[in-house]
Amino acid sequence: GGSGLSDSHPVASVQNNACRRAIKGNFDALPKADLPILMQWLASSVTIAKLAIKWQLMTMTRPNEAVGATFDEIDLGKKLWVIPAERMKRNREHIVPLTDELLELFENIQYINQGGIYLFESLDGNGHLHRESPRLALRKAKFNTTAHGLRSTASTILNESRKFREDVIEAQLSHADSDKVRSAYNRTDYLEERREMLQGWHDYLAQQEAKEWPRGRRSNPLFICFQSREKHCRRWRLDS
């Protein structure tokens, strides 16, 4: 069209995707081209739900694993988040390496934390954030994805990059290992390779957040959204 935007451009993708209602289903992956908008939305203000979404996106964990995170599970000395077996879908301890970016996010989480037990506190101060809160926040902002779908997005992008072995990506997603023997003894599942992979993922996310828009700030869908007077920004409004 006359806008000069290709189909692969983030703004074009928003026109295609973000105005649609999220399709019902648990695992709708965020379209890759919408990641810049998601990252800029996450950075635009601080809420506990947004911090939980960012933590989950960066660690590639499941929504309930992220919202239930406790300060006891964080080992700052070893730069690890150790999720106990009873909190994991497969009833097996899961270790997440913490990059400098995750440690910085952890500091921000700590800064607004009140109770000192859960990283992501419920608004009434009773327990942790509800597991549906991240999904509802994404839906309210009209992202065509679910909190669980962000895992699919990460997996797709990392697999397509061809920089990391599939086994390493699967281990980070804590998917079942078909080789039961290897599952039994390899509890740390490629920890250093996963640390390197997460660093690559976080570098990629930082690049997405820094993306410029073709007609400057005013063509950024987020800016247009926040400029609109509608309380919840019912749809992305794009200049034609």
Side-chain angles (χ1 to χ4, degrees):
S3 68
L5 298 178
S6 72
D7 287 342
S8 62
H9 196 278
V11 175
S13 174
V14 171
Q15 281 176 311
N16 297 338
N17 295 307
C19 293
R20 290 186 199 149
R21 288 204 168 178
I23 301 156
K24 284 193 175 172
N26 295 329
F27 307 105
D28 298 324
L30 183 78
K32 183 177 170 179
D34 289 0
L35 255 183
I37 298 143
L38 176 73
M39 295 307 295
Q40 290 169 20
W41 173 72
L42 289 172
S44 65
S45 62
V46 176
T47 69
I48 293 172
K50 278 186 176 185
L51 289 170
I53 292 164
K54 192 168 185 181
W55 182 264
Q56 189 212 324
L57 175 68
M58 291 173 73
T59 58
M60 296 165 59
T61 47
R62 296 176 180 87
N64 57 319
E65 292 157 10
V67 297
T70 67
F71 284 94
D72 286 351
E73 294 170 1
I74 306 290
D75 185 335
L76 291 176
K78 292 181 181 171
K79 296 187 177 182
L80 298 173
W81 171 26
V82 183
I83 311 174
E86 61 269 19
R87 289 220 307 110
M88 294 300 298
K89 184 177 179 180
R90 306 201 180 277
N91 207 32
R92 179 178 157 209
E93 183 182 77
H94 183 53
I95 300 173
V96 179
L98 298 177
T99 61
D100 288 346
E101 287 82 356
L102 276 169
L103 291 169
E104 187 183 334
L105 178 58
F106 176 73
E107 277 183 23
N108 294 339
I109 291 163
Q110 211 170 12
Y111 184 73
I112 66 163
N113 193 271
Q114 303 287 315
I117 297 168
Y118 294 103
L119 269 64
F120 309 105
E121 297 166 313
S122 64
L123 296 177
D124 61 8
N126 234 337
H128 60 72
L129 190 68
H130 194 280
R131 61 168 294 168
E132 290 295 314
S133 295
R135 182 182 68 80
L136 294 171
L138 287 163
R139 191 171 76 179
K140 191 167 159 183
K142 293 290 179 254
F143 284 104
N144 193 24
T145 188
T146 61
H148 221 308
L150 297 176
R151 280 162 56 82
S152 307
T153 303
S155 174
T156 300
I157 290 168
L158 290 167
N159 275 301
E160 284 177 356
S161 79
R162 305 234 179 262
K163 291 178 182 174
F164 310 104
R165 292 193 296 132
E166 190 182 354
D167 277 5
V168 177
I169 297 167
E170 291 295 292
Q172 185 56 39
L173 292 164
S174 69
H175 282 162
D177 192 327
S178 56
D179 182 342
K180 288 186 178 174
V181 177
R182 188 169 60 184
S183 264
Y185 74 78
N186 198 0
R187 293 196 94 197
T188 52
D189 274 345
Y190 322 113
L191 197 59
E192 287 316 303
E193 274 188 86
R194 289 196 290 117
R195 193 182 287 281
E196 194 181 313
M197 184 196 73
L198 282 181
Q199 188 58 62
W201 174 230
H202 299 162
D203 291 346
Y204 178 83
L205 290 175
Q207 288 164 10
Q208 300 307 299
E209 190 179 323
K211 275 202 172 166
E212 303 261 327
W213 298 90
R215 295 194 301 276
R217 184 167 173 243
R218 291 188 174 275
S219 69
N220 181 336
L222 267 183
F223 179 75
I224 295 159
C225 169
F226 294 139
Q227 287 295 99
S228 75
R229 295 183 182 277
E230 300 168 70
K231 190 175 178 189
H232 299 311
C233 181
R234 298 200 183 285
R235 53 191 293 124
W236 300 102
R237 298 193 309 150
L238 293 157
D239 296 332
S240 53

